[in-house]
Amino acid sequence: MEGFKRRGMVEMLPSDPIKKVLFIAYNFPPAGGAGVIRSVKYCKFLPRFFWIPVVLTVKNPRVFEKDRTLAKDIPESVLVYRTAALQLPAKIYDKKPRAAEKHSETGFFKKIKKNLFKVFKQLSYACFCIDEHVGWIPFALFRGWRIIKADAQIKCIYVSVKPFSAVITGLALKKLTGKPLVIDFRDAWTAFTPYFWLDKPEYFRKFEALLEKRAVINSDLIISVSEKIIVDFQTTYSMLPKSRFICIPNGFDQEDFNSLPPAAASDKFIITYAGSLYAKRSPESFFSALKEIFAQEPQLREKIRFRYVGYNNSSSGYLLDDPDLKDIIEITGMLPYRECLLKMKESNLLLLIEDRVAVSDRIMTSKIYEYLASQKPILALAKEGPIKELIGKTHSGMTFDHEDINGIANAIRYFLQNDYREDIPTGFKDSMNAYSRETAGKKLSEAFNALNAQ
């Protein structure tokens, strides 16, 4: 128990029953990204509610982002087992595409490269059933079975998804051991396929739909980060009780913000966007608004700086290289998680961009909670839905449709001229507590307790 005390955890009494959960998470430090943070924070807070994760992950995660600093949040009480996996070469994942590549190739070579990529995608669908991480299944299954057999305190199995192929490991371990199975869908699976994986063959989609149905029906609890995804699951699988599905949103860890150093002073008005940019999540409308401002008030160009905390990849690079704005754009590249939080704290305004897809109301980007916790105003480009509702509920900023260039420009002017501090509504602090990572850990522990009591 000394390990708990050193990390500021509640002191456990002799009568407190200690239970363990096999915590299957492909995305785990040294990997980085939003999905990793969700798992890390569960590992940090679950022991405070008397559930100790036993983590099963991969030795060499094939991911674009890495952040070794996240491992500092893992308590000493949490054991981490890492297995081998049959995977594509790391070079494919570690390569960070540069915007310059887009401009350095001739049209002929661009066309060849595009066609080769299409062939590669179709071959990958054929060779890697479900996703490219299926080669982890046999290793994870064997090690997971051994871990459960060796530790009688493990009472249930938790699987963090994506990768979606991890559900097979969870289903097989439930069959072999009889332990309850909890699947946490950080994103919807087949409901998102028509919008994000347009090139998937029809036979492939049908196979995934059958596998998703098997996973949902044979699990004991389904979790997701979005209430609307939960409603979709309840509608699709109406033969199951609604209590089989619960929402545990992402959130923020106040301890992360409390540990940040003072923000550096700046004579610029800093607008920060943190995260990924791609075709369906583009800053084009925001940049058009900036150009409108500079055309009418050119003196503001010296005052504004746009900071992008993320990769300057081929899908966003042509915008970030815009000659009309290049002098005001700062690209930091990907940063460790807490450095990213510090950049938010240093900002005057935080930009949030909702994906422009038909299912955007199902997507609750995790960064919005860190934005809220930073206590900086938010400028969101989003349609009617949960993002707009949350910003309105918390009085934390303004939301505009992507097409409303004039509205976005006027909002930027407003934030430049005003300290955005609306009256904080009664109960605001209580509503923010609902989005803390500790609250999420408590809710997950209660779900485990309910399964363990059955």
Side-chain angles (χ1 to χ4, degrees):
M1 299 301 164
E2 288 300 314
F4 292 176
K5 296 176 185 177
R6 283 198 301 273
R7 295 185 181 266
M9 304 183 109
V10 294
E11 183 175 356
M12 295 186 180
L13 301 175
S15 59
D16 292 326
I18 306 300
K19 298 177 287 291
K20 295 180 181 179
V21 52
L22 181 66
F23 197 97
I24 303 173
Y26 180 94
N27 292 289
F28 203 76
V36 177
I37 295 166
R38 182 171 173 89
S39 292
V40 165
K41 296 303 182 180
Y42 275 151
C43 288
K44 175 180 177 179
F45 289 112
L46 277 173
R48 301 189 186 187
F49 305 103
F50 316 123
W51 278 91
I52 300 178
V54 179
V55 178
L56 177 59
T57 188
V58 69
K59 281 182 182 175
N60 297 303
R62 299 296 192 251
V63 292
F64 286 111
E65 301 175 41
K66 292 191 177 180
D67 185 354
R68 298 181 187 280
T69 66
L70 292 173
K72 295 177 181 178
D73 267 353
I74 308 299
E76 294 170 4
S77 58
V78 174
L79 293 177
V80 180
Y81 293 90
R82 300 182 185 275
T83 76
L86 296 173
Q87 303 183 104
L88 290 170
K91 189 182 296 185
I92 294 176
Y93 293 85
D94 292 340
K95 182 182 178 184
K96 301 174 181 63
R98 297 183 297 274
E101 294 176 354
K102 188 179 182 73
H103 304 291
S104 63
E105 298 169 345
T106 66
F108 175 73
F109 284 108
K110 280 183 182 179
K111 188 173 182 180
I112 290 178
K113 189 174 180 179
K114 185 176 181 180
N115 289 331
L116 285 174
F117 182 73
K118 285 182 179 179
V119 172
F120 173 78
K121 287 286 286 184
Q122 294 303 312
L123 285 173
S124 69
Y125 288 139
C127 299
F128 298 99
C129 177
I130 311 170
D131 55 49
E132 65 271 23
H133 302 299
V134 292
W136 186 46
I137 294 172
F139 299 91
L141 177 57
F142 179 67
R143 179 61 68 88
W145 177 78
R146 288 182 61 191
I147 292 170
I148 293 174
K149 285 299 181 182
D151 194 339
Q153 287 185 308
I154 294 177
K155 303 300 181 183
C156 61
I157 302 163
Y158 166 94
V159 182
S160 180
V161 175
K162 303 181 287 188
F164 297 115
S165 56
V167 301
I168 294 179
T169 302
L171 288 171
L173 286 173
K174 173 181 168 66
K175 183 76 172 177
L176 290 170
T177 66
K179 303 292 182 183
L181 174 63
V182 177
I183 302 178
D184 188 356
F185 285 95
R186 303 191 312 273
D187 289 308
W189 188 357
T190 58
F192 278 8
T193 297
Y195 307 99
F196 289 97
W197 293 279
L198 305 179
D199 55 351
K200 277 191 177 180
E202 184 61 28
Y203 73 86
F204 200 90
R205 297 185 186 191
K206 289 180 179 179
F207 172 74
E208 284 191 332
L210 289 172
L211 185 55
E212 178 188 276
K213 183 176 181 180
R214 185 173 180 81
V216 171
I217 290 177
N218 288 282
S219 64
D220 297 273
L221 184 68
I222 296 294
I223 298 173
S224 187
V225 300
S226 162
E227 288 283 3
K228 293 203 171 185
I229 291 177
I230 290 298
V231 171
D232 287 344
F233 272 126
Q234 290 173 332
T235 302
T236 303
Y237 303 102
S238 57
M239 76 290 290
L240 300 175
K242 289 188 175 182
S243 59
R244 181 79 68 89
F245 308 89
I246 66 170
C247 176
I248 302 182
N250 282 308
F252 63 92
D253 183 352
Q254 189 60 52
E255 294 172 13
D256 287 334
F257 287 88
N258 294 342
S259 65
L260 293 177
S266 174
D267 59 350
K268 302 285 188 180
F269 184 88
I270 300 175
I271 306 172
T272 296
Y273 177 84
S276 300
L277 291 173
Y278 43 85
K280 294 181 175 66
R281 189 186 294 175
S282 167
E284 189 168 4
S285 299
F286 171 74
F287 285 168
S288 295
L290 283 180
K291 290 179 182 180
E292 180 179 300
I293 291 172
F294 295 152
Q296 298 172 6
E297 302 170 80
Q299 72 278 8
L300 292 180
R301 179 180 291 273
E302 296 299 318
K303 189 172 183 180
I304 294 175
R305 170 167 293 179
F306 174 69
R307 176 183 286 162
Y308 173 45
V309 183
Y311 288 139
N312 183 14
N313 58 36
S314 57
S315 61
S316 58
Y318 75 100
L319 288 169
L320 297 171
D321 287 340
D322 189 321
D324 293 332
L325 296 174
K326 200 168 183 180
D327 59 318
I328 68 144
I329 295 176
E330 173 192 346
I331 302 172
T332 69
M334 292 303 300
L335 297 175
Y337 178 61
R338 288 175 184 82
E339 287 186 36
C340 182
L341 297 183
L342 183 58
K343 293 299 183 186
M344 294 179 193
K345 190 176 174 182
E346 291 174 351
S347 305
N348 301 95
L349 180 64
L350 298 173
L351 176 65
L352 185 73
I353 305 174
E354 182 181 76
D355 289 55
R356 301 182 78 171
V357 290
V359 289
S360 60
D361 62 342
R362 269 73 172 158
I363 303 169
M364 195 63 167
T365 176
S366 63
K367 77 169 67 68
I368 191 171
Y369 302 105
E370 282 105 356
Y371 275 17
L372 290 173
S374 73
Q375 299 184 42
K376 300 294 181 178
I378 300 170
L379 173 60
L381 310 186
K383 294 185 179 295
E384 295 291 336
I387 287 176
K388 185 174 182 177
E389 291 167 8
L390 182 58
I391 289 175
K393 175 183 175 182
T394 54
H395 294 242
S396 54
M398 299 182 186
T399 306
F400 296 88
D401 193 275
H402 288 267
E403 284 74 29
D404 189 1
I405 307 301
N406 188 54
I408 297 168
N410 286 334
I412 296 170
R413 291 188 183 98
Y414 174 86
F415 288 120
L416 270 165
Q417 299 166 5
N418 298 276
D419 184 10
Y420 186 78
R421 294 183 185 277
E422 289 191 18
D423 292 334
I424 301 299
T426 303
F428 172 75
K429 185 172 284 188
D430 291 338
S431 68
M432 285 297 289
N433 286 340
Y435 307 118
S436 77
R437 294 287 188 181
E438 185 167 9
T439 299
K442 184 175 186 289
K443 193 170 183 179
L444 184 59
S445 72
E446 290 170 346
F448 290 161
N449 286 335
L451 291 178
N452 198 49
Q454 292 177 5

